[in-house]
Amino acid sequence: MVAHSASVQDYDGAKSVFDQAAAQGRTERLELIWADGIYAKPRIVEAAAQHNWKVEVIKRSDEVKGFEILPRHWVVERTFSWLTHNRRLVRDYERLTSSVECFIYLAVYRVLIRRFAKAGL
């Protein structure tokens, strides 16, 4: 997991995030990155290509008015929902990105432990 400060636009920080994630050595199985429409920029695709990753941008159709269900968009929304069940992640309380990363790990561990307990593992 990699995070950067809120003063950096997500699409500007993508290359840094990709590089840091690859340097951590936990991305050997990563092949495809689903991204929101804001990430439809050549620099994002180029940054991912340096690590042999493909970026698939999920964006709304310009022709559809109102609500539209987007494929794979629910994955991100569901993950944010899981994370915001933890009080510390609902608001920006932390000053350091390393603190936020730790609380995100704790939130994900909590989800996994509950799943394992439900499955009887």
Side-chain angles (χ1 to χ4, degrees), residues 29-100:
R29 292 179 30 202
L30 182 62
E31 295 176 6
L32 176 65
I33 298 170
W34 288 310
D36 201 38
I38 192 74
Y39 297 97
K41 301 195 182 305
R43 62 181 168 217
I44 305 267
V45 175
E46 291 167 7
Q50 289 178 350
H51 303 286
N52 296 321
W53 301 332
K54 181 182 172 198
V55 175
E56 184 178 315
V57 176
I58 311 295
K59 53 190 265 191
R60 287 178 40 114
S61 170
D62 293 336
E63 300 159 2
V64 176
K65 301 280 188 212
F67 179 76
E68 176 184 6
I69 296 177
L70 301 174
R72 305 309 296 180
H73 196 263
W74 60 270
V75 174
V76 174
E77 299 303 325
R78 178 197 60 201
T79 304
F80 285 144
S81 174
W82 288 339
L83 294 177
T84 57
H85 277 91
N86 296 275
R87 257 186 157 168
R88 292 289 287 261
L89 296 174
V90 174
R91 302 280 182 262
D92 294 328
Y93 292 124
E94 310 306 321
R95 291 179 186 233
L96 303 174
T97 56
S98 58
S99 297
V100 175

